[in-house]
Amino acid sequence: NENAKVYVDIKVNSAGAVTSATIAKGTTTSNSSLRSIAIEKAKQLKFPAAESNIETGTILFNFVLKS
C-alpha cells in the first residue's frame, strides 16, 4: 500500500465556484495522475456564496493506494 498526499491551493469566487486550483507545497507525490485527479476534483467543488470577491484556501486530498 502507498499513501500520497496532494495539497491543492484554490481560489473561490463570490458565487462559491472554484476559479483556480494549483498543486501546493507539501504534496508528497510526483505521480501526475494523482495530481490531475486532485486538481479536477477541487475544481468541481462548490462552496457557500461569500461577500468577498475572492476567497483562498488549501485542500488536502489523501490517497491510499492498494494493490
Side-chain angles (χ1 to χ4, degrees):
N1 292 354
E2 179 187 344
N3 294 334
K5 292 181 180 179
V6 179
Y7 290 87
V8 179
D9 285 336
I10 60 167
K11 290 182 182 176
V12 180
N13 67 16
S14 59
V18 175
T19 59
S20 171
T22 58
I23 298 298
K25 197 157 63 166
T27 296
T28 63
T29 183
S30 60
N31 183 314
S32 61
S33 294
L34 294 181
R35 287 171 168 242
S36 294
I37 290 167
I39 287 176
E40 193 62 36
K41 292 300 177 186
K43 288 179 177 177
Q44 292 174 2
L45 294 173
K46 183 75 171 161
F47 293 89
E51 304 222 353
S52 61
N53 286 340
I54 297 289
E55 296 281 338
T56 60
T58 303
I59 300 171
L60 167 61
F61 291 89
N62 193 19
F63 292 91
V64 179
L65 307 175
K66 297 182 180 182
S67 51

